[in-house]
Amino acid sequence: MGLFDRHAGLLEAYRDVRTTGYDPFQIRMERVLSPTEAIINGRKMLLVGTNNYFGLTFDPSCMEAAIEAIRAEGTGTTGSRIANGSYSEHVALEQEIAEFYGKKHCMVFTTGYQANLGLISTLAGEGDQLLIDADSHASIYDACKMTQAEVVRFKHNDPSSLEARLRRLGDRPGNRVVVLEGIYSMLGDSAPLREFIDVCKKYGAYVIVDEAHSLGALGDNGRGLCESAGVLDDCHFIVGTFSKTLGAIGGYCVSNDPDFDILRVTVRSYMFTASLPPSIVASVRQALKVVKARPELRTQLWSNVATLYEGLAAKGFKLGPEHGPVVGVHLPDRMTAIGFWRAMLDAGIYVNVAVPPATPNGVSLLRCSVCAVHTKEQLEHMIEVMTGIGRQLGVLDDRTLRVVGGAR
Amino acid sequence: MIVETDGMTDTLERARVSGQSRGEVIREICRHLVPFQTGERPITGDTVIAKDLTIDSLAIMDMVMELEDHFDISIPMNVVAEIHTVDQLADTIQKLCARR
Ligand SMILES: Cc1ncc(COP(=O)(O)O)c(C=O)c1O
């Protein structure tokens, strides 16, 4: 048997994707010009698939902070914090994030993936029960493979489905640990967090919330869904990433647990990998300041979300269930999604294409992520382009078009 | 008198739900698997779910979630990973139902 024979199914799907002539998994950005534009295949493209929600990758103050840190402390730490020690910047960043959430403790990881992987697999061990949303991110699923805890999935965003599973556990011993996400990365929908928290309280379950896509976007101070749902005190752990709104790379978790520091000597994905370089830590610290100082970025983001979501909905596209910084456009099947994605690239617009098995319920999607610094013109242009392609590919049915046409 | 009858129905109901007959369990599993059937080959106890049917691992997990709710049991993911055939899935469901 060949080494890749077991991946034959995936290989076939991958071949399908590449028949378009472009490989969506190997797109080369020849030059990135700004948070919203890059040169791909020799031409300027509008970027609407970057998770760069506040557009901070080119924020001059964040860039300066990173450059200064490189000059002062070099390019990398060349080791993990337990072996090579922490730089003052790591400790300062942890204090600032803890303060941002009003929590006592924070631990910074080299990626958000590693934060979920290490934290979840450490908090739930043998004899415990881990309950995860069916649409959880890969990092959460992978954490489940690393623990002896029993893992049970509940229906996506369905507190009654979670409740049924907690109830069935009865009085069996073991901690119940529930993992939720603030905003889900494929369809941009957010969890009914308050209802989930009520269920968790009723059954004495611990709650971990991953705010990867909601940091900055939700809450009066941008702390995420925990803040906007008013349940910051009820979430035992909040996890997040620096790779989206904060425009860099890295992950974190915060908590009030008095024994928090045990994590530093038990979480393997923290202990056995190099810590973040000084430049990244410096730009993240600055980005957090920008998030606090410029709430108008959040307002702009949601106003852009409304423009794109309502614009596409009016043309008859089937979208995710609610407004979110991720706008998922449903397409009937894998090949249509790939063809649509390719046609958009030809028209100068880059979005993400998401097809099974990476998507929930086997759906095929164009995944658009909105940026606070997209202009209204850019988004309106995108809606026009997508409408044209949608008609060509027969994705938009004629009836919708007539209704829209008649309304004009 | 009325109270007695009520108690009776209750007991019968519980017996019906917890002591699932083999046939009932297999029928329920097949109901969920039929959409993934390939060609003419019937689904039997020996059907290897991931191999003989066009169902991916995510769809298997989603089907398990439906079965969990139908039988009011939970089947942990690591247990699902060990299940290959329809018979094995039925065994697991019957065992968990009996333990309930
Ligand atoms: C929900 C969720 N959690 C965690 C991550 C991982 O974040 P990072 O890019 O920092 O590894 C992502 C991003 O891919 C995500 O969408």
Side-chain angles (χ1 to χ4, degrees):
Chain A
M1 181 171 153
L3 281 175
F4 293 107
D5 285 0
R6 74 177 80 252
H7 301 292
L10 198 59
L11 224 57
E12 194 178 319
Y14 191 30
R15 224 172 275 131
D16 279 356
V17 169
R18 290 198 288 193
T19 52
T20 62
Y22 290 126
D23 180 344
F25 306 116
Q26 295 198 44
I27 278 290
R28 178 144 50 106
M29 307 256 169
E30 283 141 26
R31 217 154 74 79
V32 178
L33 306 171
S34 75
T36 60
E37 287 180 326
I39 308 284
I40 300 174
N41 298 328
R43 56 186 283 221
K44 199 194 259 185
M45 297 271 172
L46 171 62
L47 303 177
V48 194
T50 60
N51 307 316
N52 198 351
Y53 301 124
F54 278 17
L56 295 186
T57 48
F58 280 80
D59 178 274
S61 70
C62 296
M63 288 163 76
E64 273 316 309
I67 293 163
E68 257 173 56
I70 287 194
R71 291 202 198 287
E73 301 197 89
T75 52
T77 65
T78 63
S80 83
R81 289 174 60 186
I82 56 158
N84 292 25
S86 295
Y87 287 28
S88 302
E89 291 247 358
H90 291 129
V91 179
L93 174 59
E94 286 176 344
Q95 279 165 356
E96 285 159 11
I97 296 171
E99 263 165 43
F100 177 66
Y101 283 101
K103 297 271 185 190
K104 289 199 182 72
H105 308 282
C106 171
M107 191 162 131
V108 164
F109 293 77
T110 307
T111 68
Y113 175 88
Q114 288 165 323
N116 272 338
L117 197 67
L119 183 75
I120 295 168
S121 62
T122 304
L123 290 181
E126 188 165 7
D128 294 333
Q129 288 91 24
L130 196 47
L131 298 106
I132 67 168
D133 186 286
D135 290 3
S136 290
H137 186 257
S139 53
I140 296 168
Y141 273 104
D142 289 356
C144 293
K145 290 187 188 157
M146 292 176 50
T147 160
Q148 302 292 311
E150 270 184 10
V151 183
V152 173
R153 300 161 85 226
F154 54 87
K155 288 190 180 157
H156 175 56
N157 274 355
D158 185 346
S160 67
S161 178
L162 170 64
E163 173 152 22
R165 281 151 181 79
L166 284 167
R167 171 180 53 74
R168 287 173 201 150
L169 289 170
D171 53 7
R172 285 180 48 196
N175 289 329
R176 282 79 166 129
V177 180
V178 175
V179 186
L180 304 164
E181 291 175 36
I183 291 178
Y184 283 82
S185 61
M186 286 295 161
L187 290 166
D189 51 334
S190 47
L193 191 54
R194 198 166 251 296
E195 291 81 348
F196 270 127
I197 293 281
D198 288 343
V199 170
C200 291
K201 276 187 177 165
K202 183 171 164 193
Y203 291 89
Y206 293 98
V207 185
I208 303 175
V209 181
D210 179 352
E211 300 269 22
H213 295 268
S214 32
L215 170 65
L218 292 177
D220 288 343
N221 299 288
R223 293 172 195 152
L225 184 63
C226 295
E227 182 181 22
S228 61
V231 296
L232 266 170
D233 292 339
D234 300 309
C235 299
H236 302 88
F237 281 86
I238 295 170
V239 183
T241 175
F242 304 147
S243 73
K244 305 184 196 302
T245 300
L246 300 182
I249 188 168
Y252 62 89
C253 72
V254 296
S255 175
N256 277 334
D257 198 294
D259 294 322
F260 185 88
D261 276 334
I262 294 274
L263 292 173
R264 295 189 194 273
V265 290
T266 46
V267 175
R268 298 170 65 85
S269 64
Y270 172 86
M271 297 163 69
F272 299 110
T273 194
S275 62
L276 289 171
S279 53
I280 297 295
V281 178
S283 83
V284 169
R285 289 181 68 190
Q286 181 55 32
L288 196 61
K289 289 199 184 90
V290 174
V291 167
K292 286 192 250 187
R294 298 185 57 199
E296 67 272 20
L297 287 171
R298 182 162 39 260
T299 319
Q300 273 167 245
L301 173 65
W302 286 101
S303 146
N304 282 346
V305 166
T307 300
L308 184 63
Y309 188 101
E310 293 305 326
L312 291 175
K315 299 294 185 186
F317 282 104
K318 184 167 174 252
L319 307 175
E322 58 183 300
H323 284 201
V326 174
V327 177
V329 182
H330 283 274
L331 291 171
D333 54 66
R334 182 200 309 266
M335 289 317 277
T336 309
I338 294 164
F340 206 121
W341 172 83
R342 159 76 200 244
M344 285 186 71
L345 211 55
D346 283 340
I349 303 173
Y350 174 78
V351 297
N352 309 131
V353 60
V355 292
T359 51
N361 305 315
V363 298
S364 294
L365 295 172
L366 288 181
R367 180 185 176 279
C368 314
S369 58
V370 181
C371 187
V373 300
H374 277 133
T375 63
K376 216 176 164 58
E377 293 69 41
Q378 284 175 326
L379 296 173
E380 277 164 359
H381 169 68
M382 169 164 167
I383 295 163
E384 213 173 278
V385 168
M386 287 185 70
T387 307
I389 299 171
R391 275 177 207 170
Q392 275 170 31
L393 297 184
V395 170
L396 295 178
D397 78 47
D398 290 339
R399 205 157 37 96
T400 323
L401 286 176
R402 268 202 297 278
V403 172
V404 173
R408 276 214 192 114
Chain B
M1 187 62 185
I2 290 165
V3 176
E4 242 178 58
T5 318
D6 268 8
M8 185 76 152
T9 331
D10 224 37
T11 316
L12 284 176
E13 176 66 15
R14 222 175 300 132
R16 195 191 64 76
V17 176
S18 64
Q20 293 290 341
S21 85
R22 184 76 177 182
E24 246 174 278
V25 173
I26 297 263
R27 248 196 316 282
E28 187 60 23
I29 295 174
C30 288
R31 204 168 66 78
H32 286 281
L33 288 180
V34 163
F36 304 99
Q37 203 170 352
T38 43
E40 295 295 294
R41 193 132 59 110
I43 299 174
T44 68
D46 293 331
T47 300
V48 179
I49 299 169
K51 220 175 85 206
D52 299 339
L53 306 171
T54 50
I55 186 168
D56 62 31
S57 56
L58 195 64
I60 291 178
M61 290 200 295
D62 288 343
M63 173 198 66
V64 166
M65 215 156 46
E66 297 295 335
L67 291 171
E68 286 180 329
D69 289 334
H70 180 86
F71 294 109
D72 200 24
I73 53 172
S74 291
I75 314 176
M77 274 169 64
N78 54 318
V79 174
V80 176
E82 305 276 301
I83 294 172
H84 302 290
T85 65
V86 169
D87 267 339
Q88 288 168 346
L89 181 54
D91 289 344
T92 305
I93 291 172
Q94 281 193 297
K95 204 166 69 202
L96 288 169
C97 283
R99 214 187 284 164
R100 199 174 42 196

